[in-house]
Each structure stands twice: as structure tokens, then as C-alpha cells.
Amino acid sequence: MQGKAAPSPDTPIVMVGRIGRRRAVAHMNLAAAKAGLRLGQAVAHATAMVPGLVLNDLDPDGDNAALQRLALWAQRLYSPTVAADPPDGLVIDATGCAHLFGGEEKMLIDIRRRLAKAGYGAAVAIADSWGGAHALARYSRRAVFVVPAGGLGPQLKDLPVAALRLAPDLVHALAKPGFDTIGELEATATGPLAHRFGLEPVRRLNQAFAREREPIEPVFAPETPRAAKIFAEPIGAPETLARYLTELTVELCSTLEAQSLGAKGIDAWFYRVDNRIESARIGLSRPARDARRLAKLLCEKLETVDPGFGVDKMVLAAPGAEPLTYSQDDALGGPRAADLSGLIDTLAARLGPESVYRLASAESDLPERSVRKAAPGEPVTAFSWPVDWPRPTRFFPRPEPIETVALLPDQPPASFTWRGVRRRVRRADGPERVFGEWWKNDAELARSRDYFQVEDEGGARYWLYRDGDGEDAATGSQRWFMAGVFG
């Protein structure tokens, strides 16, 4: 079966939607834009201007459903507060989340990388406001844009008025008197602008420049267990927030129990009276629905929540809940594996999930590559060191250079200087030769190391190695390094 050939990048293509009763251009590719077409233009006019124009009808329902799925994906990975930004974007509240990825720029790079793997091209931006980030992501011509706090104004002034999320007809109307850029619109007095064009341009300007807050209503999957409470009067005292948070946790756990589910993580949203939403998130090492333990973990997160002038709505949700059924305890008192999930969750909530891990062995002969970080709840195999060659209790992640006096090629050092202190070797064992991992890169084809266990005059024992075989320069630098310390 022969498929249809993909159109050339030089072929002008538009997506056709409806504005009122007429068919109009809703989206276009770069070739169509270069041909002079504009958004909102009537299809009849567009086809007359550009012969050979390719028309495709929009599927708004399908696009919105796909965008919702993408928002749920981003919510699971990046932040509890994610919403769709139709027709082609997502908005993510990165407050308190970016540090988990090494900073804001690294978080944006990670988002682009994951989207590219899924087949999506993306431009991403972080700014003080939803409107500002929306404008920069779509009109700045930079794939990754991070605006420092308070630096949004200069970045927006040269962008076109269309970046303010205004209707195409309003953008066209603003262009007639010469309003082409956001800076020109911002420099105009509010009164005359609102009198001539209505309040919409003023509202969008205020949102873009973070003068007016724009709440992000987080997305929910229909099947996600959740609990919510609306307050007749705003609340803000820490003990009051903790009390209602505990009540909602009990309600959420009852919902989970009714569905035989356990939470793998819980997101909490606090809707403030000033249209701002604060959020908190806890992750769990294994599915759970113990209301007491979960409430304790959530209440510890209240330190990061700013209630402002008060919270009038609170929502809890357990996305990605997994099956969890009751299990029969061993009535005869047989051996049971210790359940460390409570300890792991408490440490992760207090220290951050990236700070809690366990060590697992990796398939490598090189000591610094033979250990990896594993999730704290992940079952791992025991280390399998060679019996004849014990390993030190303390490894250095980066071996430290030392100065030695040694006879080449196979003799251990007679003395060595480490961290400014000279130590004379009394006893030594070795060498233990470890070869390079040639299957990883060509530079390690001939590499080798000779490891020695040495003891100084004070009884301290060390693990040293020479980078190379002591004769051939191709095997290494022939320099000595401290790899670890025994005892």
C-alpha cells in the first residue's frame, strides 16, 4: 500500500476554522505566512491570493482532547498546576518545582527534549506572568527563554500586538491606527485605548505585565480521585488550614478505599481570594491510603503555602493512583520484610525526593562506575565484590591525585603525599589490574589501572591506583590517584 507523500516545506498550508459563519484561516505554516496570508483571513480571499494553497479543516474536539492529555502528562512530571492553553500550548506554574530539575532553564530544556521524543516541536518560556510567557514562547523566536524576575517589560515591548492573545479582528483594528507592537500599546493612555477599542486590550496588557493576576485552573483526569471543599469565609491561619487539610485527606482516602486504590502522590491546591492558586505536592514510595500518615506529610508542606488574604477553596487529588488491596498478616508471626515506606516518604517530604536514594551495583569493573543511585523503594541486588580483593568502606566519587615514590612497573609506592601530608608505606598488596571498558569508547581500548592496598606507619589503610601499566603511555597517564579509604 502506497502512502500519501508529505508536502514540501515550501508548500503553503493553512488550517481552516470558523469565525461566526465564515470560514477563516486559523493556523498556517511558515510558507503561507511568507505568501502574505494572515490569521482570521477569509478562506476565499486566501485561496485567491495564493494559488495551490493546501486547506485542512480543523478538528477542535480532537485537538482539545490531545491538549488535555498533554497537560495531564506535564502535570505528572513537572508541576501540580498545569492547564491547557488552547489552541496549541500548555501553561505550567513552575513555582517551587524548577529546582528539582536543576533550575528554570534546565527544566525548560527537559520539557523540550521529552516533547521532541514524542514528536512535538516546542518553544518554551518562563516569565512572571502567564500572558508574558505565552507571548515570548510564540513570538520571541527563541526556543528557550527564561526572563529574570522583574525583567518582563523590556522583553515584551518589541513583540507584535497579536502576542497579547487578542482576537484577530481586534489585532487588525489596532493595526489601522498604527499599533503594531506591545510597547506602542503600553505607551498609550488607558482611558482613550479602552474608549476606542474596549477593555480587552487593557486587560491583556495588565495580564502580560503581571499587573493583573490570571489564575491557572489545573487540569484533572476524569478518573482521578479527588476531594474539594469551598469555604463560606476565607481561612488563612496555619492551624485552620491544617485541620481542613486533614479532613480532606480523610475524605480522599475514603474515596481511594472505595475504589481499592492507593495514592502514589497527592497534589493539593489552595485557591486564594486574590485569584492566585498555591500548590503543594507529596510523592510516595509505594501506594498508600493511610489518612493519618498522608495528612501528616501534607501538613508539613503548609510551610511552603502562602495563604495571602485567605483561601476560599481547597482541592486534593491523587493522580496516577494504583490498585491497593488489603493483605492478610501472618498470624503465626513468621518473618516479614520491614516496611520502610513511611520513613522514606517522611524523609523525601522534608529533604526533597532527590536527596533520598539507595545504592545499587552497576555492571562495571571501574569502581567509580560500579555504583549507581537507585530509588529508595527499588529492590536491588547485593554488591558482588571479588572475595580475594576487598573494597574500601569509603569511595571517592572523583579519585584524588597523589604524589608517590615507586619503582615501575609493578612495585607499590614506598611513600605518597596526599592532601599535603607525606605518608610512608609499611605494608602493601597488589597490583590488581583493571582494564578499560573498550565497548564504551575507543579511548579505553588500551587503558588499564593497577590498584594497590597500602598501610601507612600509623595503621591507616588506603586504596591507590596508577593510571596505566607503568610502561606503555597508551595505557594511561602513569599518574597515581587515591581511590578510597579502608575503615
Side-chain angles (χ1 to χ4, degrees):
M1 180 176 177
Q2 187 174 1
K4 186 177 179 180
S8 165
D10 297 329
T11 303
I13 304 173
V14 299
M15 302 298 293
V16 178
R18 288 194 173 274
I19 299 178
R21 293 186 176 182
R22 66 187 180 91
R23 300 177 76 223
V25 175
H27 304 283
M28 68 181 77
N29 67 352
L30 184 60
K34 288 181 178 179
L37 301 184
R38 59 179 176 83
L39 296 179
Q41 185 176 13
V43 170
H45 187 203
T47 53
M49 281 181 59
V50 181
L53 180 65
V54 178
L55 305 177
N56 292 305
D57 289 329
L58 279 178
D59 178 14
D61 294 337
D63 290 345
N64 288 335
L67 202 57
Q68 290 294 320
R69 291 193 298 270
L70 205 58
L72 291 170
W73 166 84
Q75 185 185 66
R76 187 177 68 254
L77 291 176
Y78 296 105
S79 169
T81 307
V82 179
D85 187 13
D88 58 355
L90 300 177
V91 56
I92 301 174
D93 186 351
T95 305
C97 302
H99 72 280
L100 300 175
F101 302 89
E104 294 178 340
E105 185 173 0
K106 289 184 178 180
M107 177 179 173
L108 295 185
I109 292 172
D110 187 72
I111 292 173
R112 289 194 76 236
R113 178 182 61 81
R114 290 177 183 270
L115 287 173
K117 274 188 170 183
Y120 295 100
V124 287
I126 283 184
D128 291 338
S129 68
W130 176 352
H134 176 103
L136 292 169
R138 289 164 174 79
Y139 293 90
S140 68
R141 296 184 180 179
R142 288 171 58 175
V144 176
F145 204 134
V146 177
V147 182
L152 190 54
Q155 306 296 340
L156 292 179
K157 66 178 183 178
D158 295 327
L159 298 184
V161 171
L164 290 176
R165 296 177 291 170
L166 298 172
D169 289 344
L170 185 53
V171 173
H172 188 58
L174 287 166
K176 289 181 179 178
F179 292 117
D180 296 321
T181 66
I182 293 177
E184 293 169 346
L185 209 58
E186 173 71 1
T188 305
T190 301
L193 186 64
H195 178 74
R196 184 170 182 182
F197 299 101
L199 293 176
E200 185 66 6
V202 177
R203 183 174 72 91
R204 289 304 193 186
L205 277 172
N206 290 336
Q207 289 174 345
F209 284 91
R211 295 189 293 263
E212 179 180 327
R213 292 200 175 275
E214 192 174 3
I216 301 173
E217 189 70 31
V219 65
F220 291 107
E223 68 277 7
T224 300
R226 56 183 181 269
K229 187 172 184 63
I230 299 175
F231 305 103
E233 295 291 336
I235 62 172
E239 59 274 11
T240 307
L241 289 170
R243 176 160 59 88
Y244 284 111
L245 189 58
T246 301
E247 291 181 5
L248 277 180
T249 305
V250 172
E251 181 181 340
L252 178 63
C253 288
S254 298
T255 302
L256 290 169
E257 184 175 7
Q259 301 178 25
S260 296
L261 296 175
K264 279 290 288 180
I266 296 180
D267 294 329
W269 292 275
F270 305 85
Y271 293 71
R272 297 178 8 171
V273 294
D274 59 355
N275 279 338
R276 181 173 172 178
I277 301 177
E278 294 282 314
S279 64
R281 165 175 282 182
I282 62 169
L284 303 171
S285 57
R286 57 189 297 182
R289 54 171 181 261
D290 182 349
R292 183 177 179 181
R293 176 159 69 95
L294 298 181
K296 182 180 178 182
L297 294 174
L298 284 167
C299 288
E300 289 184 357
K301 290 292 185 179
L302 286 176
E303 296 179 359
T304 64
V305 174
D306 179 10
F309 294 105
V311 172
D312 56 12
K313 182 181 178 182
M314 196 182 294
V315 177
L316 289 185
E322 298 181 2
L324 177 64
T325 57
Y326 290 107
S327 60
Q328 178 68 42
D329 288 342
D330 188 352
L332 300 179
R336 298 178 59 191
D339 184 6
L340 300 178
S341 59
L343 174 62
I344 293 170
D345 296 339
T346 300
L347 292 175
R350 294 177 180 176
L351 305 177
E354 71 281 357
S355 300
V356 183
Y357 57 88
R358 65 187 302 179
L359 296 179
S361 59
E363 294 184 358
S364 177
D365 290 331
L366 296 179
E368 62 268 27
R369 298 179 187 171
S370 63
V371 179
R372 63 179 178 87
K373 289 182 179 180
E378 176 185 334
V380 296
T381 56
F383 292 103
S384 55
W385 299 122
V387 176
D388 296 337
W389 295 101
R391 294 297 186 251
T393 53
R394 181 187 173 195
F395 281 104
F396 297 126
R398 294 183 180 178
E400 300 181 9
I402 58 175
E403 298 295 330
T404 65
V405 176
L407 295 175
L408 298 180
D410 296 326
Q411 298 301 313
S415 65
F416 64 93
T417 302
W418 176 48
R419 296 181 178 178
V421 178
R422 185 171 180 269
R423 296 169 171 84
R424 187 178 298 277
V425 175
R426 186 173 62 178
R427 294 185 180 88
D429 192 9
E432 174 194 357
R433 180 156 292 181
V434 175
F435 293 95
E437 297 178 340
W438 52 267
W439 56 91
K440 289 192 174 181
N441 59 71
D442 293 340
E444 297 194 22
L445 282 171
R447 298 299 291 266
S448 66
R449 292 180 183 179
D450 285 343
Y451 283 85
F452 294 85
Q453 301 170 46
V454 303
E455 181 180 321
D456 67 10
E457 292 177 325
R461 298 172 62 226
Y462 307 92
W463 206 37
L464 316 179
Y465 77 86
R466 181 184 57 233
D467 182 27
D469 62 4
E471 295 180 309
D472 187 356
T475 61
S477 65
Q478 313 305 324
R479 296 179 60 194
W480 287 82
F481 293 87
M482 175 70 67
V485 178
F486 292 88

